[in-house]
Amino acid sequence: MLILIKGGRVIDPGRLDGINDILIKDGKIAEISSEGSTAFGSELKEINATGKIVTPGLIDMHVHLREPGQEYKETIKTGCAAAARGGFTAVCPMPNTNPVNDNRQVTEYIMGKAALEGKIHVYPVGAISKGLEGSALSEYGELKDAGVVALSDDGLPVMNSMLMRRAMEYAGGFGLPIISHCEDLDLAAGGAMNEGEVATSMGLPGIPNASESIMVMRDIAICELTGTPLHIAHVSTKESVHAIRDAKARGIPVTAETAPHYFTLTHDAVKNYNTSAKMNPPLRAAADREAVRQGLADGTIDVIATDHAPHAAYEKDVEFELAANGIAGLETSLPLSLQLVEDGLLSLTDLIDRMSKAPARILGIDNSLKPGAPADITIINLEKSYIIDAPSFASLGKNTPFDGLQVKGKAVVTIVGGEIVWKGRGERSSRPQAAPKKVLYVNPKQ
Amino acid sequence: MEFNRKDILDMESLSADEINMILDTAVSMKEISGRSIKKVPTLRGKTVILFFYEPSTRTRASFDIAAKRLSADSISLTGSSSSIVKGETLIDTARNLEAMKPDIIILRHACAGASHLLAGRLKSAVINAGDGMHAHPTQSLLDLFTVREKKGSIKGLRIAILGDISHSRVARSDCIGFTKLGAEVVLFGPPTMIPKGIETLGVSVAENIEDAICGADVVMMLRIQKERQKSFLFPTEREYSKVFGLTREKLKNVKDDILIMHPGPVNRGLELASDVMDGPYSVILDQVTNGVAVRMAILYLVAGGVRNADTD
């Protein structure tokens, strides 16, 4: 079948920005033209993209699909459906499944399931260490052969500096980047939220900024030593942003990501023991949020990922200190990120880069709008206003602090390999479109 | 003024008027404890559940005696005897308890915010008997009551709170309670035990123990949990008692009518020298006595006060 995406503003950061038609044939981009296309026969399916943005497919390089092992939280099928709705054509599931993705069998299981039920691309991340135990390297050669695109012990830091050094040296030989969850466990021990006045008044044990930045700095030093590309996961503190900025200025091959909650919320969101705002790293202070926003604006932070962490409701409906960490992020990432454009922090092109091109560059994935490339495309309606409605998420995880928030901007069509995997049909929220119940963040400039 | 609060969760949510009302009510409740027959029928037919996930001697006994002096039926559950050890969640356990129609649930729990979690879900009144490092409002109210009783008023007093501020729910609640009634609160302890941003509660931090207690009307000593030594908060008990403990020597230049308080249990000789603990300034046992009166007042007011009580 042929698909013609007609009349949209096509943005491929670094290559294209203009009103164009895109013709898709046999799963690939066949033609891009500003001329207005001629008839292609009865097989043609036309998508009117007038007034919309057409971009390379969004890639979320940091998600948790929970399968195998915790299918009650999410499955590859539901996670991919949530991703498609959020505008993502590819996701990278972290290896902290059960069993851990530290071997060929688990990688193949994930990729096989994804091929059958996923509809979008799934590029697994393999474990740095066997069983995520931080004591022995997993088999990178075999993992790479099975299809992993990067290595990480996400959720757990590699505390042993020698193991981290060897992991980076060894991974470099296979061209696999290392994604580091930076946390000094001794310094963070027992903490449930950001250390500071909010934690003090709520009587919750705090996690200091330094528990993250100390490891960011260590890993940058090991990156400098080994030369293997290092990607810092979910940056949340100003000190981390400064360290990464300095490292980049010195030419060290480090990249970084943050998540929408770190540039939208602060630790104030945790007040009243709100477990939907409990995550690791924790939501930080306003100065950290501002540093993360500036880091995105100047390119210090390359990527917006979600750290999509779905949980069952009963795992959040408990005492704050006992509640599971993380939020379901796939279906809220795009509108929250578009707010950065609205706030004048990022151009639309830069935002698309942070959400599609940059993760592709880091992971070595072909993701361009050019003839011959796979037709992985997201069409975005920037004008669509709506209220985030967690109960209607495709994800099994409804855990989000953004439920009820008024937002603007939505993926209306997601195309993967020439197949339309998501098309918004003017879907209705289960909640009446009344006033939003909360405003979580107000841009200080407005 | 009527007392319309369903729950007592922390000092932050109580207004100065509500605090004064509780303290005023406690005055008449204390009188009951002085009678030879220490029981009135006020809460006859009411059911109070003492739900103590965390070990406690004085708070549990104090609430239990308070409930019984008002003729309420009280039952006591502890963490090890409850379904928690079988894996049930706090909310599910509480829902089951609620299905038995209690009027008041008193919760002691190791996690901050646990009583807030229950209060939001249950129709019964919830009284926080200590949640993690967060709040211990009834302890704070009995501290306020004791100081008011001895000094006549709280306004304008200087209260020094010394020791492990970081891990103390009593310190947090006292900071809020005393400042709300117009006292000045100054804190002191090892730098490892002063939490970030504590000044936002309207208190100041002294540089040394002499500065903290100089001119103080009240010194509240906090208990040191000996196991904290393992998390490097202080090097040895010997050094702690020497530098941060309250000794007779350090009390040389204080006011003549200073009050020494402690929420208990005391590590005799560690944070408080034995002779200071038993000395003329100490009102530690008065605090315990007043605890019953204050908790009687709280049970009475939360149960609906004169509106709902059986006053035959």
Side-chain angles (χ1 to χ4, degrees):
Chain A
M1 189 169 76
L2 298 171
I3 298 176
L4 181 67
I5 303 171
K6 217 172 150 49
R9 178 180 163 195
V10 177
I11 303 177
D12 187 359
R15 294 190 61 252
L16 261 179
D17 186 352
I19 305 295
N20 279 292
D21 295 347
I22 298 181
L23 181 70
I24 299 169
K25 191 181 174 187
D26 301 330
K28 290 190 162 40
I29 293 170
E31 201 181 314
I32 298 178
S33 153
S34 57
E35 298 296 309
S37 303
T38 49
F40 290 93
S42 59
E43 271 193 312
L44 182 75
K45 182 179 174 63
E46 210 174 275
I47 298 172
N48 182 2
T50 309
K52 315 279 193 320
I53 306 297
V54 182
T55 77
L58 307 183
I59 297 175
D60 189 344
M61 66 180 291
H62 191 151
V63 304
H64 299 271
L65 297 183
R66 307 297 188 202
E67 187 178 359
Q70 292 183 308
E71 290 83 355
Y72 69 97
K73 290 178 195 260
E74 190 85 289
T75 63
I76 288 168
K77 186 175 178 179
T78 56
C80 287
R85 276 191 187 216
F88 296 97
T89 58
V91 294
C92 301
M94 287 292 160
N96 56 347
T97 47
N98 185 18
V100 169
N101 185 14
D102 60 2
N103 62 73
R104 170 186 287 278
Q105 286 75 15
V106 177
T107 306
E108 285 177 348
Y109 173 83
I110 292 168
M111 295 186 72
K113 265 269 178 157
L116 276 176
E117 302 174 346
K119 291 187 177 168
I120 67 162
H121 300 295
V122 173
Y123 299 111
V125 176
I128 291 173
S129 69
K130 276 186 195 153
L132 306 176
E133 285 169 1
S135 51
L137 300 180
S138 39
E139 296 175 335
Y140 299 170
E142 181 150 295
L143 282 166
K144 163 116 184 182
D145 195 45
V148 307
V149 294
L151 298 163
S152 182
D153 274 2
D154 184 61
L156 294 169
V158 177
M159 286 292 285
N160 184 324
S161 301
M162 177 58 104
L163 183 80
M164 191 62 166
R165 174 195 176 156
R166 296 303 183 217
M168 293 203 59
E169 285 174 341
Y170 192 60
F174 296 98
L176 289 170
I178 294 271
I179 301 173
S180 179
H181 169 105
C182 291
E183 181 182 10
D184 183 312
L185 292 177
D186 294 317
L187 211 43
M193 69 171 292
N194 184 47
E195 182 172 307
E197 71 277 10
V198 180
T200 293
S201 73
M202 288 170 67
L204 285 170
I207 302 172
N209 279 18
S211 68
E212 175 179 308
S213 55
I214 204 167
M215 288 294 261
V216 168
M217 292 178 206
R218 182 204 72 169
D219 285 354
I220 286 170
I222 298 175
C223 177
E224 193 169 14
L225 175 70
T226 62
T228 300
L230 169 73
H231 180 77
I232 311 278
H234 42 52
V235 169
S236 75
T237 75
K238 57 183 186 297
E239 294 83 1
S240 300
V241 175
H242 295 156
I244 295 161
R245 189 176 284 133
D246 290 349
K248 284 190 164 186
R250 288 189 289 127
I252 298 168
V254 58
T255 56
E257 72 188 30
T258 191
H261 34 274
Y262 299 117
F263 59 73
T264 308
L265 302 174
T266 68
H267 56 175
D268 284 335
V270 176
K271 282 180 178 167
N272 296 319
Y273 303 96
N274 178 10
T275 56
S276 60
K278 187 187 182 203
M279 52 199 74
N280 186 28
L283 294 171
R284 304 287 187 179
D288 297 297
R289 176 181 62 189
E290 190 50 33
V292 166
R293 289 162 70 86
Q294 294 304 327
L296 276 166
D298 70 11
T300 300
I301 299 177
D302 306 75
V303 168
I304 296 172
T306 65
D307 194 4
H308 177 72
H311 292 292
Y314 66 81
E315 292 168 315
K316 285 284 193 180
D317 206 10
V318 292
E319 299 88 316
F320 191 89
E321 286 160 72
L322 306 181
N325 279 313
I327 80 166
L330 284 165
E331 288 161 88
T332 54
S333 181
L334 182 59
L336 294 170
S337 302
L338 281 167
Q339 185 65 40
L340 297 170
V341 178
E342 190 90 349
D343 294 347
L345 239 94
L346 276 179
S347 70
L348 187 56
T349 306
D350 284 343
L351 180 74
I352 292 166
D353 187 71
R354 307 281 184 275
M355 296 186 77
S356 68
K357 303 288 278 190
R361 272 197 303 276
I362 292 164
L363 301 169
I365 297 168
D366 184 11
N367 192 34
S368 281
L369 296 181
K370 61 183 179 201
D376 299 334
I377 294 170
T378 305
I379 304 179
I380 301 165
N381 180 351
L382 294 178
E383 301 305 320
K384 184 165 174 69
S385 283
Y386 57 103
I387 292 170
I388 290 172
D389 184 47
S392 67
F393 281 176
S395 170
L396 296 184
K398 318 294 182 194
N399 49 308
T400 171
F402 299 112
D403 186 35
L405 184 70
Q406 175 86 48
V407 290
K408 202 168 136 193
K410 194 171 180 46
V412 288
V413 180
T414 306
I415 298 171
V416 177
E419 297 279 328
I420 297 173
V421 296
W422 161 249
K423 190 168 191 307
R425 291 184 187 83
E427 73 281 4
R428 292 243 168 102
S429 158
S430 65
R431 182 173 286 143
Q433 296 283 304
K437 68 178 180 187
K438 53 194 165 184
V439 176
L440 291 164
Y441 174 67
V442 178
N443 181 16
K445 287 176 198 157
Q446 288 175 344
Chain B
M1 177 187 160
E2 264 193 25
F3 194 86
N4 288 321
R5 209 161 272 285
K6 170 180 160 286
D7 312 297
I8 304 283
L9 302 179
D10 51 37
M11 294 304 286
E12 215 168 354
S13 55
L14 292 173
S15 68
D17 282 348
E18 286 170 321
I19 293 172
N20 281 321
M21 190 175 181
I22 293 168
L23 302 186
D24 292 343
T25 308
V27 174
S28 50
M29 294 296 172
K30 188 169 179 180
E31 183 267 322
I32 294 168
S33 296
R35 298 179 192 169
S36 60
I37 296 174
K38 308 176 182 62
K39 199 170 179 100
V40 293
T42 314
L43 295 188
R44 197 167 65 191
K46 302 277 181 190
T47 306
V48 175
I49 296 181
L50 306 168
F51 196 8
F52 278 61
Y53 271 65
E54 217 184 40
S56 156
T57 305
R58 81 203 59 216
T59 304
R60 185 148 67 102
S62 181
F63 267 114
D64 205 4
I65 290 170
K68 289 190 161 81
R69 287 199 177 148
L70 294 173
S71 298
D73 298 307
S74 61
I75 69 150
S76 195
L77 301 172
T78 57
S80 56
S81 69
S82 74
S83 302
I84 304 310
V85 289
K86 298 178 185 167
E88 194 175 47
T89 67
L90 173 63
I91 288 175
D92 284 338
T93 305
R95 279 194 186 127
N96 278 284
L97 291 176
E98 174 139 280
M100 301 175 204
K101 311 291 178 198
D103 298 282
I104 300 173
I105 293 179
I106 297 162
L107 180 72
R108 157 71 64 94
H109 197 291
C111 291
S115 52
H116 287 69
L117 185 65
L118 281 202
R121 308 299 173 91
L122 301 185
K123 289 192 198 77
S124 323
V126 175
I127 297 174
N128 183 3
D131 62 329
M133 307 184 300
H134 173 231
H136 197 348
T138 60
Q139 175 70 42
S140 177
L141 288 161
L142 76 86
D143 291 341
L144 292 169
F145 183 86
T146 306
V147 172
R148 197 179 79 162
E149 188 181 52
K150 304 283 178 193
K151 299 281 183 190
S153 162
I154 305 244
K155 199 171 165 61
L157 297 181
R158 180 176 158 94
I159 317 285
I161 304 177
L162 311 185
D164 186 356
I165 311 293
S166 286
H167 298 92
S168 175
R169 53 193 170 214
V170 176
R172 281 173 178 73
S173 289
D174 274 350
C175 285
I176 297 167
F178 279 109
T179 51
K180 216 165 232 181
L181 294 197
E184 175 200 358
V185 176
V186 56
L187 309 176
F188 178 70
T192 47
M193 294 177 170
I194 304 291
K196 268 191 190 165
I198 189 75
E199 298 83 359
T200 54
L201 298 183
V203 300
S204 60
V205 180
E207 283 182 13
N208 54 56
I209 193 164
E210 288 77 17
D211 284 0
I213 63 177
C214 178
D217 299 285
V218 175
V219 177
M220 173 77 65
M221 296 305 295
L222 299 173
R223 189 168 74 93
I224 292 304
Q225 285 176 278
K226 296 188 176 192
E227 62 271 23
R228 300 261 180 240
Q229 208 182 311
K230 291 185 196 122
S231 43
F232 319 120
L233 289 166
F234 61 100
T236 57
E237 288 179 24
R238 175 175 172 272
E239 172 149 307
Y240 190 92
S241 64
K242 226 171 143 183
V243 183
F244 302 99
L246 197 58
T247 57
R248 185 174 280 191
E249 173 70 17
K250 286 178 189 152
L251 288 169
K252 263 195 310 200
N253 299 319
V254 300
K255 287 188 174 176
D256 291 340
D257 58 349
I258 194 167
L259 302 179
I260 308 293
M261 301 174 75
H262 193 299
V266 181
N267 293 300
R268 202 176 262 275
L270 176 52
E271 65 261 8
L272 211 46
S274 213
D275 53 355
V276 177
M277 183 175 165
D278 300 328
Y281 303 132
S282 169
V283 293
I284 295 171
L285 293 175
D286 299 78
Q287 289 174 270
V288 179
T289 303
N290 290 335
V292 175
V294 165
R295 291 183 174 111
M296 285 169 77
I298 287 167
L299 292 174
Y300 168 75
L301 291 169
V302 165
V306 281
R307 279 177 290 124
N308 296 333
D310 178 351
T311 48
D312 305 341

Short mmCIF file of all heavy atoms in Angstrom, two decimals, chain A residues 306-326:
data_model
loop_
_atom_site.label_atom_id
_atom_site.label_comp_id
_atom_site.label_asym_id
_atom_site.label_seq_id
_atom_site.Cartn_x
_atom_site.Cartn_y
_atom_site.Cartn_z
N THR A 306 11.77 9.03 28.87
CA THR A 306 10.72 9.11 29.90
C THR A 306 11.04 8.35 31.17
O THR A 306 10.51 8.66 32.22
CB THR A 306 9.37 8.56 29.39
OG1 THR A 306 9.53 7.16 29.14
CG2 THR A 306 8.93 9.28 28.15
N ASP A 307 11.89 7.34 31.10
CA ASP A 307 12.06 6.42 32.24
C ASP A 307 10.70 5.83 32.61
O ASP A 307 10.40 5.62 33.79
CB ASP A 307 12.72 7.13 33.43
CG ASP A 307 13.22 6.14 34.48
OD1 ASP A 307 13.13 4.92 34.25
OD2 ASP A 307 13.70 6.60 35.53
N HIS A 308 9.87 5.61 31.60
CA HIS A 308 8.52 5.04 31.77
C HIS A 308 8.56 3.87 32.75
O HIS A 308 9.15 2.84 32.46
CB HIS A 308 8.03 4.58 30.40
CG HIS A 308 6.69 3.91 30.40
ND1 HIS A 308 5.51 4.60 30.61
CD2 HIS A 308 6.33 2.61 30.21
CE1 HIS A 308 4.49 3.76 30.55
NE2 HIS A 308 4.96 2.54 30.31
N ALA A 309 7.93 4.06 33.90
CA ALA A 309 8.01 3.05 34.96
C ALA A 309 6.61 2.73 35.48
O ALA A 309 6.16 3.26 36.49
CB ALA A 309 8.89 3.56 36.10
N PRO A 310 5.90 1.88 34.74
CA PRO A 310 4.53 1.56 35.16
C PRO A 310 4.51 0.68 36.40
O PRO A 310 5.37 -0.19 36.57
CB PRO A 310 3.97 0.80 33.95
CG PRO A 310 5.16 0.25 33.24
CD PRO A 310 6.29 1.18 33.50
N HIS A 311 3.54 0.93 37.28
CA HIS A 311 3.34 0.11 38.47
C HIS A 311 1.86 -0.15 38.66
O HIS A 311 1.02 0.64 38.20
CB HIS A 311 3.86 0.83 39.72
CG HIS A 311 5.35 0.98 39.75
ND1 HIS A 311 6.20 -0.09 39.89
CD2 HIS A 311 6.13 2.08 39.65
CE1 HIS A 311 7.45 0.35 39.88
NE2 HIS A 311 7.44 1.66 39.72
N ALA A 312 1.55 -1.23 39.38
CA ALA A 312 0.16 -1.48 39.74
C ALA A 312 -0.26 -0.46 40.79
O ALA A 312 0.57 0.01 41.58
CB ALA A 312 0.03 -2.89 40.30
N ALA A 313 -1.55 -0.12 40.78
CA ALA A 313 -2.04 0.92 41.69
C ALA A 313 -1.71 0.60 43.15
O ALA A 313 -1.32 1.48 43.92
CB ALA A 313 -3.55 1.09 41.51
N TYR A 314 -1.82 -0.68 43.50
CA TYR A 314 -1.61 -1.01 44.91
C TYR A 314 -0.15 -0.86 45.34
O TYR A 314 0.15 -0.81 46.53
CB TYR A 314 -2.13 -2.42 45.23
CG TYR A 314 -1.40 -3.56 44.55
CD1 TYR A 314 -0.20 -4.05 45.07
CD2 TYR A 314 -1.92 -4.17 43.41
CE1 TYR A 314 0.46 -5.10 44.46
CE2 TYR A 314 -1.26 -5.22 42.79
CZ TYR A 314 -0.07 -5.68 43.32
OH TYR A 314 0.60 -6.71 42.71
N GLU A 315 0.76 -0.77 44.38
CA GLU A 315 2.16 -0.56 44.76
C GLU A 315 2.46 0.91 45.08
O GLU A 315 3.51 1.24 45.62
CB GLU A 315 3.08 -1.05 43.64
CG GLU A 315 3.03 -2.56 43.48
CD GLU A 315 3.70 -3.04 42.20
OE1 GLU A 315 3.46 -2.44 41.13
OE2 GLU A 315 4.45 -4.01 42.27
N LYS A 316 1.54 1.78 44.69
CA LYS A 316 1.69 3.20 45.01
C LYS A 316 0.78 3.59 46.18
O LYS A 316 0.99 4.63 46.80
CB LYS A 316 1.31 4.04 43.78
CG LYS A 316 2.35 4.05 42.67
CD LYS A 316 3.53 4.95 43.04
CE LYS A 316 4.42 5.22 41.84
NZ LYS A 316 5.56 6.10 42.19
N ASP A 317 -0.24 2.77 46.43
CA ASP A 317 -1.25 3.12 47.42
C ASP A 317 -0.82 2.64 48.80
O ASP A 317 -1.55 1.91 49.47
CB ASP A 317 -2.58 2.47 47.00
CG ASP A 317 -3.77 3.23 47.53
OD1 ASP A 317 -3.57 4.34 48.04
OD2 ASP A 317 -4.89 2.71 47.42
N VAL A 318 0.35 3.04 49.21
CA VAL A 318 0.92 2.60 50.48
C VAL A 318 1.68 3.76 51.12
O VAL A 318 1.72 4.86 50.56
CB VAL A 318 1.90 1.41 50.28
CG1 VAL A 318 1.17 0.16 49.84
CG2 VAL A 318 2.98 1.77 49.27
N GLU A 319 2.28 3.52 52.26
CA GLU A 319 3.10 4.52 52.93
C GLU A 319 4.18 5.02 51.95
O GLU A 319 4.76 4.22 51.22
CB GLU A 319 3.79 3.92 54.16
CG GLU A 319 2.85 3.40 55.23
CD GLU A 319 2.44 1.94 55.01
OE1 GLU A 319 2.12 1.54 53.87
OE2 GLU A 319 2.44 1.18 55.99
N PHE A 320 4.45 6.33 51.97
CA PHE A 320 5.34 6.93 50.98
C PHE A 320 6.68 6.20 50.89
O PHE A 320 7.17 5.89 49.80
CB PHE A 320 5.58 8.41 51.30
CG PHE A 320 6.27 9.15 50.20
CD1 PHE A 320 5.54 9.74 49.18
CD2 PHE A 320 7.66 9.23 50.16
CE1 PHE A 320 6.19 10.41 48.14
CE2 PHE A 320 8.31 9.88 49.11
CZ PHE A 320 7.57 10.48 48.11
N GLU A 321 7.27 5.92 52.04
CA GLU A 321 8.59 5.29 52.02
C GLU A 321 8.56 3.88 51.42
O GLU A 321 9.58 3.38 50.97
CB GLU A 321 9.18 5.25 53.44
CG GLU A 321 9.65 6.61 53.90
CD GLU A 321 9.77 6.70 55.41
OE1 GLU A 321 10.69 6.11 55.96
OE2 GLU A 321 8.93 7.38 56.02
N LEU A 322 7.40 3.25 51.44
CA LEU A 322 7.30 1.89 50.92
C LEU A 322 6.82 1.86 49.47
O LEU A 322 6.81 0.81 48.83
CB LEU A 322 6.32 1.07 51.77
CG LEU A 322 6.58 1.04 53.28
CD1 LEU A 322 5.53 0.18 53.98
CD2 LEU A 322 7.97 0.51 53.58
N ALA A 323 6.42 3.01 48.93
CA ALA A 323 5.84 3.05 47.59
C ALA A 323 6.91 2.81 46.51
O ALA A 323 8.08 3.17 46.69
CB ALA A 323 5.17 4.40 47.36
N ALA A 324 6.49 2.21 45.41
CA ALA A 324 7.38 1.97 44.28
C ALA A 324 7.79 3.31 43.66
O ALA A 324 7.03 4.28 43.68
CB ALA A 324 6.68 1.11 43.25
N ASN A 325 9.00 3.34 43.09
CA ASN A 325 9.50 4.54 42.42
C ASN A 325 9.05 4.59 40.98
O ASN A 325 9.02 3.56 40.31
CB ASN A 325 11.03 4.54 42.42
CG ASN A 325 11.61 5.01 43.73
OD1 ASN A 325 11.19 6.03 44.27
ND2 ASN A 325 12.57 4.26 44.25
N GLY A 326 8.77 5.79 40.47
CA GLY A 326 8.61 5.95 39.03
C GLY A 326 7.22 6.34 38.58
O GLY A 326 6.25 6.21 39.33
#
